[in-house]
Amino acid sequence: VKSPEDVVVVSAVRTALTKGRKGGFKDTLADQLASYVIKATIDRTGIDPKLIDDVCFGNVDAPGGFATGVRMAALAAGVPETAGASALNRQCSSGLQACVTIASAIQTGLIEVGIAGGVESMSSDYYRRSDRRYSKKITSELKSAADCLVPMGITSENVAEDYGLSRLEQDEFAVESHKKAAVAQANGYFKEEIVPIMATILDKDGENPKDVLVDKDEGIRANSSVEGLAKLKPVFKKDGSTHAGNASQISDGAAAVLLMKRKTALALNLPVLGKYVTACTVGVPPHVMGIGPAYAIPVAVERAGLKLDDIDIYEINEAFASQALYTVRVLGIPKNKVNPKGGAIAIGHPLGSTGARQVATLFPELKRTKSRFGVTSMCMGSGMGMACVWENEQL
């Protein structure tokens, strides 16, 4: 049932995702990336920027929590000084949490129009983590707190070991991700969601700027094979099963989602892509943080008044093949419903961006396949899962 009070998605766009430290965005900072997608949102919809009440972006690694960066990005994109801006960090679901934060503000009447999104320049910010410090008193007295600091790759190994996921199964899942993404890219299925950007790259000495067009995801390998992945050494444990080929890629990118009530969209004569239905966040044991989606997805789907079988597309972040495979298996999700255009193993995972990127990826695929319901979901470091239900209206 369509209600004037529904929170709807008017636009969802993203940049292409580029290889960390060597791709098209290696010299583009997070505020600039965010500005690109905010401006594209305004330009593509034609919305009067004065109507934008708030901008919220997810980010994980930028200095200062990206609070200043998102304000600068919004202003540079043409959002007036009268609008608010904020940044948030809910680990790998930061971009999705930004969407839920803006949607919730609209639902409760705090704002009428908002832009949510996510951004990560892993090239610039990811490697600054080494100077973070935490209380030794807490970690020495509480195992679950100490487990929050277990390296992500080890949590992947823990999932594989605890739940009996073989390296071959993980490698097969990774190859499938690349194959699906390669087909989608070749068929132009990403074009609707990707904003082409002219970026500037520098040489190894930080000189000789050169402009390059960035309009395609750079990490997709159409020739990926199980045989090829079998040659890669485990990264986190000598006898482990997680390696560079069955884990998400270090990437740079941004995404933005324009949200408002249905009555507002109708009054402004703006297109409605679909509806924000509901969301949830759950906690799981930190040492197996990757299992989060398996627990978050059923809660969100039930809150939406639906069953798992009612969902047509599941966008489940592939932080690691182990954890994504676990979720698919435990919930009994048919393979053809999972990441039909590939996932983070092939496309990339700019941490703070992925949650919003999935929304930009989901809606064109729902439209293309004339499907109704989609879920976006991911695990988060320190042991959590988040999921959100969306409804397509471009049937």
Side-chain angles (χ1 to χ4, degrees):
V1 179
K2 294 180 180 180
S3 165
E5 301 299 315
D6 290 337
V7 176
V8 298
V9 176
V10 167
S11 170
V13 298
R14 69 176 178 96
T15 68
L17 305 191
T18 65
K19 295 180 178 180
R21 284 189 159 179
K22 54 187 176 182
F25 290 141
K26 71 182 181 68
D27 299 306
T28 304
L29 298 177
D31 52 354
Q32 184 67 71
L33 286 171
S35 183
Y36 284 142
V37 289
I38 296 171
K39 188 174 189 309
T41 298
I42 295 169
D43 290 346
R44 288 191 176 196
T45 62
I47 189 171
D48 182 351
K50 294 177 182 176
L51 298 175
I52 299 168
D53 296 312
D54 203 3
V55 177
C56 179
F57 262 61
N59 181 272
V60 176
D61 285 325
F66 197 58
T68 300
V70 68
R71 174 69 165 157
M72 294 167 62
L75 294 173
V79 176
E81 294 177 354
T82 51
S86 67
L88 57 82
N89 182 353
R90 200 196 273 276
Q91 307 280 28
C92 294
S93 73
S94 297
L96 180 56
Q97 182 60 58
C99 292
V100 174
T101 296
I102 289 293
S104 300
I106 294 169
Q107 282 179 323
T108 54
L110 298 178
I111 64 173
E112 287 196 25
V113 176
I115 294 179
V119 63
E120 207 74 54
S121 172
M122 295 183 78
S123 292
S124 300
D125 300 323
Y126 179 66
Y127 300 93
R128 297 180 181 180
R129 294 179 160 199
S130 59
D131 61 354
R132 295 184 182 176
R133 296 188 298 164
Y134 299 94
S135 168
K136 290 183 180 178
K137 179 175 173 57
I138 288 179
T139 55
S140 65
E141 294 180 355
L142 187 63
K143 184 181 183 300
S144 59
D147 284 348
C148 290
L149 301 181
V150 172
M152 295 295 97
I154 297 298
T155 69
S156 172
E157 295 288 4
N158 291 343
V159 171
E161 291 175 16
D162 289 3
Y163 302 105
L165 302 169
S166 71
R167 169 161 174 165
L168 177 59
E169 291 173 312
Q170 295 173 62
D171 287 357
E172 288 173 342
F173 184 91
V175 168
E176 187 69 16
S177 181
H178 280 285
K179 298 292 186 189
K180 289 186 289 188
V183 168
Q185 191 173 65
N187 289 336
Y189 295 162
F190 291 120
K191 284 189 175 179
E192 185 176 341
E193 67 199 67
I194 291 178
V195 178
I197 289 167
M198 193 65 71
T200 301
I201 59 173
L202 307 174
D203 64 18
K204 59 183 177 60
D205 298 316
E207 300 176 347
N208 299 312
K210 181 174 73 172
D211 290 340
V212 295
L213 179 65
V214 181
D215 61 353
K216 291 185 178 66
D217 298 316
E218 295 178 349
I220 300 169
R221 296 189 296 273
N223 62 350
S224 180
S225 68
V226 172
E227 295 76 19
L229 295 188
K231 299 174 183 177
L232 299 177
K233 293 181 179 180
V235 175
F236 304 100
K237 290 181 69 174
K238 187 176 181 180
D239 58 346
S241 59
T242 299
H243 54 78
N246 62 21
S248 57
Q249 300 181 37
I250 292 174
S251 313
D252 303 323
V257 181
L258 178 60
L259 296 150
M260 61 189 69
K261 283 190 176 179
R262 185 185 302 279
K263 63 185 180 183
T264 308
L266 292 174
L268 297 174
N269 197 30
L270 290 170
V272 173
L273 303 185
K275 183 172 77 172
Y276 162 78
V277 182
T278 190
C280 87
T281 304
V282 301
V284 297
H287 75 287
V288 285
M289 67 92 201
I291 67 174
Y295 293 87
I297 289 171
V299 175
V301 171
E302 184 178 358
R303 281 182 184 173
L306 302 170
K307 299 188 184 323
L308 292 176
D309 288 345
D310 295 326
I311 305 302
D312 300 296
I313 295 175
Y314 287 88
E315 286 288 335
I316 301 172
N317 188 39
E318 299 167 358
F320 300 96
S322 62
Q323 55 82 208
L325 183 59
Y326 170 84
T327 297
V328 173
R329 184 165 296 175
V330 167
L331 297 183
I333 303 171
K335 284 173 59 177
N336 64 305
K337 287 187 174 186
V338 180
N339 301 344
K341 294 191 286 190
I345 289 173
I347 299 170
H349 178 26
L351 306 176
S353 173
T354 294
R357 191 280 298 169
Q358 288 181 326
V359 180
T361 298
L362 173 67
F363 274 106
E365 187 65 8
L366 287 171
K367 174 185 174 184
R368 187 184 74 82
T369 58
K370 296 180 171 56
S371 301
R372 186 175 179 187
F373 291 109
V375 162
T376 57
S377 184
M378 64 283 298
C379 60
M380 295 108 86
S382 73
M384 292 177 284
M386 188 171 186
C388 186
V389 180
W390 310 85
E391 183 175 356
N392 174 42
E393 296 189 5
Q394 304 171 94
L395 295 168

